[in-house]
Every structure is written in C-alpha cells, then in structure tokens.
Amino acid sequence: MTKPLVAIVGRPNVGKSTFFNKVVGKRISIVEDKPGVTRDRLYADAEWCGHAFTLVDTGGIEIKSNDRMWQHIKKQAEIAVDLADVIVFFVDGKQGLIPEDYDVADYLRMSRKPIVLAVNKIDNNEQELIYDFYSLGIGDPIGISAEQSKGIGDILDEIISKFKNKVEPTENDEVLNIAVVGKPNAGKSSLVNKILGYERVIVSDVAGTTRDAIDTTFSWNGRKFNIIDTAGMRRKSNIDDEVEQYSVMRSLYAIRRADVVLVVIDSSETVSEQDVRICGYVHEQGKPSLVLMNKWDTVEKDTYTVNKFKKDLDEKLKFMDYYVPLFISAKTGQRLDRVMGGILEVYEEASKRVSTGTLNDVIQDAVSVTEPPTKNGKRLKILFATEASTNPPTFIFFVNDAELMHFSYKRYLENTLRKAFEFKGSPIRLIVRNKDAKDMGFND
C-alpha cells in the first residue's frame, strides 16, 4: 500500500523546513533565515504512532509574484499539493496574519484536500496569537514552535487523523542510490527529470537553481532506485554564500551515500579543472560512476569529434582510467536509454567477487611475467592475496616486506586485475600487508 503523502506549504520563511527536519529526525532541508532557500520539493519517510507516511517540504508560495524564480518555486509547491493526501499549511504566529496568508489559504481550499493549519513560532504563553488565524476559514489553528519542538506531536496527531488508510512501517527494500553531480548549469536537473519522465526538479538556465540534494525514488525494470539531484559544485574560492556552501556540502554527502555516481559535464565547454576535481572526489570515495558528456546535441561534429573528446578525457582523467563515458543530451533524450543500463553495469562491476583461488592464480601469472622489485638486495615476495570487500573491490596482498612494494609495481598489479576482471567504471583498492599481519586480518 502506498504511504500517504503529507505536503508542508506556506509563505516563505515561516518555519516549514525546520518542522520537516524535526519530524524526519535529521537535517535534510536547508534551514536559513532567508526567504527562498528551499526551492525544490524534498521528500523523507516518517512515522508517528504506528502510521508510516512520506513528508514533503516545499518552497515558499508567493501567489502574486511575477519573479521568475518564485514562479518556479510556486510550480514545485503546486505539484506537491496536487500529489498530497494531507496538506500542512504553515503560518507565522509572530508576524501575525497578513494578506498573503489569505492568498495561500484560498489556493489551498481549491485543492479540496484535508488541511492542517499550523501557527508556528508560538511559545506556551502566547496562545492568544493563534486566534486571528481562525479567519482563514481553514479549520482550527494549532499553535506550535518547530524550533523548540513544542506542539509537533499535536500537529502529527492531527495529520494522521486525516489519513484514509493506515500503513504500517516496514523495512526498506533494497534501493540503489544514484547521485547526479557536476558544475552549475551542466544539465543535472534536466537529466533527472528525463529519467523520471516528469518535471521533478526545477529546470532553469539560471545557475544555482537547485540548492538542496533532492531524493526521488522510482522503479525501472522491476528494480527500485533513489536518484539524488544535487546542487552545482563550484570551486571553493568562488563560493561566498553560506547557503551555497551548505549546498555543496550536501552534494559531497550525496556522493558518499551513493551506490553509483553520474558525473554530468557540459560538453559544449572544455572539460574544466572543476570537472576533474569532482571526478577526483568520486574516485577518492571509491564510487562506481558514469561520466556523462551532456548537451552533445549542441556540439558541432565531424568524423573525429568523439575521438577528440575521448582523448581529452583520457588525458584529464588518467587517474581514473576505468571511467565509462556516455555522450548524451538530456534535452533531446539522445542516448539516455543507455544510462540506466550503464548504472546497473558499473554497480555490478563494483560488486564483483573474485574467488581467492582464481585471484592468486592471476597474481602468480603476473609475477612470473614481471618479477617484483628488489631493494638493497631483497626482493618483494607476494605470499597470498584475497578480496576483502566490494564497493569498491578491495584486495589485500600479504607480502614478506610491505616497504618493498614500489608504486609502479602496485600499479602493474592493479592493471593485471583490471585486465583479468575488468571492474568497468569502478575504482579498485590494493592494500599491502606484511605476512605477520594479525590473524591475516582484513581491517585497513
């Protein structure tokens, strides 16, 4: 049974994101005393008194604003309202009732959805401040303080009382997390929307439109996925806004919690140092990835164009020579049919298990072809190797003296493993241990 969807809506800066974070128990929404910080819809699963539901935070609704960005934000909030089973209408008790609240109330009434009216920023001794809000005609206002966690239980009780069906909390099915990262305006949100088949996130040619890391679950070929659209990642020296700094931190966190990362690069521009830095961070985190050269439809082409781009990528991404490129257009849909298959392929490569016997046969053959190095008359001996873990594939080599392992020979062994087992699109880790490592343990 589908979980009820609860949408939090209201004017900007009335405390919606603070409430969202309190209920889901972690800081998912950006909270900043500045209107317009939350721009897209943010989803998280929650549970109260045995009732499971999905909570969605939205950007502030400015009904009468003609500003381009506010129109985008309004559209996202409208989608959330349209999909919601219950709406939580947030107003600011400190500021009091203002005309814009009536505008939002009139809009919400047209949805014909159950509405819970939350008067936020109310302390225990200020309950009289909520009485004016009866005039909105939405129902009984409930005074709360999201910041101080007061009255949240009352709001949640009212929310679940409006559910038509009870859904018991269950263990999550295995979901593959996909992070979509890149510089601002590389086409990340357009790609996400194209994969999902509808406008899930704001798409605009205004750089920095996406500020949060936005999760959306979906199914493809019977398998569940969670795709995370992230804020554009500019060079640290170019970031002077606190909200943008936090957005980039959220993007880095999205990479760390992802199973597969899609690095989106604008192919209408030269591959930049920042593109390489982003790839480098993905590599350092040990994540399988696809490098998507987006906006391929805008590139003037001849017989050698792909080879030229590939050569440039090979040079700039030589530290991750396992990378898998796809030349796509999120706008036209060119080659997007290969993205989901590519995601599964690189994830399976990163999850690949190699039996200890097969691994040691391959290593013995490599050693017989190219002998290990010597130092001060002492030769490196590889005694035993095993795959300790996957995602990324991690191999431990037990040797007579770890200090004898030269970087170049370690690289030779990595190339040997790739030639034998490929690990397409995934980094691999090689750990060298002395033969007297405790219990032949696999803890790094």
Side-chain angles (χ1 to χ4, degrees):
M1 185 181 294
T2 304
K3 295 177 184 178
L5 184 67
V6 179
I8 310 169
V9 298
R11 295 185 293 105
N13 212 30
V14 294
K16 300 183 298 299
S17 294
T18 301
F19 175 77
F20 178 86
N21 291 335
K22 292 283 186 180
V23 173
V24 302
K26 52 189 174 182
R27 192 177 184 186
I28 293 179
S29 267
I30 297 175
V31 178
E32 181 85 4
D33 189 18
K34 186 186 298 183
V37 172
T38 302
R39 299 181 175 184
D40 297 293
R41 291 165 282 146
L42 296 172
Y43 291 77
D45 290 329
E47 183 266 330
W48 182 252
C49 294
H51 292 262
F53 58 95
T54 299
L55 198 63
V56 53
D57 188 19
T58 67
I61 300 180
E62 291 277 10
I63 297 292
K64 295 181 178 179
S65 175
N66 292 319
D67 179 82
R68 185 178 175 190
M69 183 54 68
W70 284 114
Q71 288 296 315
H72 277 306
I73 296 171
K74 178 186 173 186
K75 183 175 181 181
Q76 291 297 311
E78 288 173 346
I79 295 172
V81 168
D82 185 55
L83 296 173
D85 297 289
V86 177
I87 298 166
V88 183
F89 177 22
F90 258 67
V91 291
D92 187 335
K94 288 285 189 189
Q95 186 177 15
L97 190 61
I98 64 174
E100 285 81 359
D101 290 323
Y102 286 102
D103 295 335
V104 178
D106 290 340
Y107 164 70
L108 294 179
R109 250 190 304 273
M110 291 188 294
S111 72
R112 300 186 180 278
K113 302 286 181 71
I115 300 172
V116 177
L117 178 56
V119 184
N120 194 27
K121 307 180 185 178
I122 298 293
D123 295 328
N124 288 334
N125 59 351
E126 298 176 324
Q127 290 298 310
E128 69 278 0
L129 296 178
I130 73 173
Y131 297 138
D132 287 345
F133 292 92
Y134 277 98
S135 64
L136 290 173
I138 291 293
D140 295 338
I142 301 174
I144 72 166
S145 173
E147 182 67 36
Q148 299 176 30
S149 301
K150 293 179 179 178
I152 289 180
D154 295 334
I155 287 289
L156 293 173
D157 286 342
E158 188 65 18
I159 289 170
I160 65 175
S161 73
K162 297 184 182 298
F163 291 165
K164 293 181 179 179
N165 298 299
K166 179 178 178 179
V167 178
E168 299 284 352
T170 58
E171 292 294 324
N172 289 331
D173 294 331
E174 184 180 357
V175 177
L176 197 67
N177 289 302
I178 308 164
V180 183
V181 301
K183 293 192 307 181
N185 220 23
K188 300 181 296 298
S189 295
S190 295
L191 173 66
V192 170
N193 289 338
K194 208 75 173 183
I195 290 173
L196 296 174
Y198 65 96
E199 190 168 337
R200 168 64 181 84
V201 288
I202 294 172
V203 177
S204 170
D205 56 7
V206 178
T209 301
T210 301
R211 306 299 287 269
D212 254 317
I214 304 156
D215 291 45
T216 308
T217 56
F218 69 102
S219 295
W220 184 80
N221 281 2
R223 184 158 187 176
K224 291 185 178 180
F225 297 85
N226 177 48
I227 193 165
I228 312 162
D229 187 26
T230 64
M233 299 164 65
R234 293 197 296 162
R235 292 182 62 178
K236 187 180 294 186
S237 60
N238 294 333
I239 299 173
D240 53 14
D241 179 81
E242 289 185 6
V243 175
E244 185 177 356
Q245 289 177 354
Y246 185 65
S247 297
V248 172
M249 288 171 58
R250 294 297 310 284
S251 298
L252 296 176
Y253 175 66
I255 292 173
R256 291 196 295 272
R257 67 187 176 99
D259 298 302
V260 177
V261 179
L262 304 181
V263 182
V264 183
I265 297 176
D266 186 346
S267 62
S268 66
E269 303 175 354
T270 303
V271 177
S272 68
E273 290 183 9
Q274 182 63 1
D275 292 319
V276 175
R277 286 192 186 93
I278 294 170
C279 288
Y281 187 80
V282 174
H283 171 75
E284 289 170 2
Q285 294 301 311
K287 302 299 181 178
S289 62
L290 295 176
V291 176
L292 305 182
M293 299 299 293
N294 192 28
K295 305 184 184 180
W296 191 242
D297 57 308
T298 66
V299 176
E300 292 187 12
K301 305 173 189 67
D302 57 31
T303 308
Y304 307 102
T305 304
V306 172
N307 290 336
K308 176 184 174 184
F309 272 79
K310 184 70 166 54
K311 184 177 180 181
D312 186 41
L313 283 169
D314 287 346
E315 175 61 29
K316 292 177 177 176
L317 301 182
K318 54 188 175 183
F319 60 89
M320 52 182 294
D321 53 6
Y322 56 84
Y323 82 96
V324 178
L326 280 178
F327 296 85
I328 68 165
S329 170
K331 182 178 180 180
T332 67
Q334 184 182 14
R335 297 191 186 89
L336 287 189
D337 57 327
R338 302 182 187 179
V339 173
M340 292 306 300
I343 289 169
L344 288 177
E345 182 180 20
V346 297
Y347 180 70
E348 288 169 1
E349 289 289 306
S351 306
K352 189 182 291 182
R353 278 281 184 187
V354 179
S355 70
T356 300
T358 301
L359 174 63
N360 283 276
D361 286 344
V362 169
I363 297 303
Q364 286 177 15
D365 289 343
V367 169
S368 65
V369 171
T370 303
E371 286 190 337
T374 60
K375 184 178 181 180
N376 297 327
K378 186 177 182 181
R379 185 175 298 279
L380 172 72
K381 293 180 180 180
I382 299 175
L383 308 173
F384 179 75
T386 186
E387 185 178 10
S389 62
T390 61
N391 296 297
T394 301
F395 299 89
I396 298 181
F397 289 77
F398 291 97
V399 300
N400 60 331
D401 187 346
E403 292 185 2
L404 297 175
M405 178 68 80
H406 191 272
F407 168 81
S408 60
Y409 199 76
K410 191 174 181 180
R411 182 67 172 170
Y412 165 69
L413 293 174
E414 179 178 340
N415 290 336
T416 297
L417 293 178
R418 287 203 180 277
K419 185 176 180 181
F421 310 113
E422 193 168 12
F423 300 112
K424 184 178 181 181
S426 173
I428 61 176
R429 299 284 185 260
L430 270 62
I431 299 170
V432 182
R433 292 270 179 80
N434 289 331
K435 63 181 178 180
D436 58 352
K438 286 186 178 180
D439 300 321
M440 298 290 275
F442 299 148
N443 294 323
D444 186 16

